[in-house]
Amino acid sequence: MIEVSTSILSVKKGKEAETFFALEKSKTDYIHIDVMDGKFVEKDNKQIMLEYSNYIKRTLNTQLDVHLMVKDVKEAVEEFSAVEPNIITFHLEACKDKQEVMECIKLIKEFGSRVGIAIKPETKIEDIYEYLPYIHMCLIMTVEPGKGGQTLISEMVEKVSKLKSYIDKNNMEIDIQVDGGINLKTAPKVKEAGANILVSGVAILMASNYKVIIDELKK
Ligand code: DX5
Ligand code: ZN
């Protein structure tokens, strides 16, 4: 089954509430919250993303999928756990060593969310293998993290296939999420390669009818 997680990074100012309600009505499986700290990536949007998350938690039933593009993972996990996300994903590149990665995994589990680890385009897929037994999802970034509306880097499709065969070979049950430049043209390629959770931002938010595109992405 394919699930869709809609990124609200590029939501229009002043149209937030109506967009969030329309996304829920259009049956997005998750709302994807992109958190940036001005250190791991250039932009800093942490406060506004905390506000959006709180608003969504209070008013909607759609599950939250929090993508932390931050250096201080533990601090952000504590802040965002208050909205009880279904998934919290942090970047492997934000941690200095294995011990720190394992501590972040443990903290997210203690707060009751599922755990995802994200890797940037230049990070090798093999680097994630040792953590797979402890996590629920691997997020393969299909663009450089930092902003919405970029073009998918086509070499990343191969990375998805490689992870999918590794997971199948080892009889693991782990979600593969892709994020960045996912639209009706790129979605068939990443699905075919084995991705089962598609993050999509501008392709959905710019569409006149969210449900049509979400349904099409899920096919
Ligand atoms: C990139 C973010 C993404 C991205 C998705 O740093 O993690 O979630 O904005 O949006 P689109 O689909 O617009 O590339
Ligand atoms: Zn994201």
Side-chain angles (χ1 to χ4, degrees):
M1 190 186 62
I2 305 290
E3 293 186 311
V4 170
S5 185
T6 307
S7 164
I8 54 160
L9 182 62
S10 308
V11 67
K12 280 212 186 72
K13 298 277 166 288
K15 299 255 184 248
E16 291 94 338
E18 62 184 90
T19 304
F20 302 159
F21 279 101
L23 287 172
E24 173 150 303
K25 228 176 129 214
S26 307
K27 297 202 165 36
T28 185
D29 295 288
Y30 306 90
I31 291 182
H32 182 86
I33 305 288
D34 283 305
V35 183
M36 308 187 187
D37 64 350
K39 294 180 200 130
F40 187 76
V41 290
E42 223 176 285
K43 224 175 124 190
D44 180 358
N45 68 358
K46 203 160 153 204
Q47 282 318 311
I48 189 85
M49 286 301 156
L50 265 175
E51 283 171 33
Y52 289 169
S53 302
N54 276 307
Y55 180 80
I56 293 165
K57 178 73 194 168
R58 270 201 329 270
T59 56
L60 301 181
N61 292 310
T62 305
Q63 319 181 75
L64 291 167
D65 159 30
V66 173
H67 175 195
L68 299 175
M69 287 169 275
V70 304
K71 188 83 196 96
D72 192 340
V73 177
K74 289 175 198 163
E75 181 191 72
V77 167
E78 289 182 14
E79 289 168 317
F80 281 86
S81 287
V83 297
E84 300 174 328
N86 179 286
I87 313 173
I88 299 182
T89 299
F90 63 96
H91 270 267
L92 188 60
E93 301 88 358
C95 298
K96 62 175 184 310
D97 54 23
K98 179 165 183 181
Q99 191 190 334
E100 195 179 340
V101 176
M102 293 307 294
E103 285 168 6
C104 293
I105 294 173
K106 187 164 169 267
L107 188 65
I108 295 171
K109 287 182 180 170
E110 278 168 6
F111 277 114
S113 295
R114 295 199 294 146
V115 183
I117 297 185
I119 53 169
K120 296 209 271 186
E122 77 265 24
T123 301
K124 294 199 307 292
I125 194 64
E126 289 82 1
D127 293 355
I128 198 96
Y129 290 174
E130 63 179 309
Y131 302 109
L132 293 177
Y134 311 105
I135 65 177
H136 305 89
M137 187 183 85
C138 174
L139 163 51
I140 297 183
M141 288 301 299
T142 37
V143 298
E144 279 304 328
K147 54 176 191 284
Q150 304 181 73
T151 305
L152 176 135
I153 303 168
S154 56
E155 289 78 39
M156 295 305 117
V157 178
E158 181 57 36
K159 217 168 167 181
V160 174
S161 312
K162 208 163 170 186
L163 178 61
K164 176 68 177 157
S165 6
Y166 183 86
I167 287 174
D168 288 350
K169 206 170 73 209
N170 290 282
N171 280 316
M172 294 172 150
E173 275 198 34
I174 294 171
D175 291 318
I176 303 180
Q177 187 177 64
V178 283
D179 183 9
I182 303 298
N183 53 40
L184 292 185
K185 212 170 144 214
T186 54
K189 299 175 194 160
V190 289
K191 285 190 273 190
E192 163 92 39
N196 69 312
I197 306 181
L198 310 185
V199 176
S200 183
V202 296
I204 295 173
L205 298 182
M206 302 282 277
S208 51
N209 185 329
Y210 299 160
K211 188 163 188 319
V212 171
I213 174 147
I214 289 172
D215 284 350
E216 196 62 35
L217 290 170
K218 281 189 198 178
K219 271 186 197 156

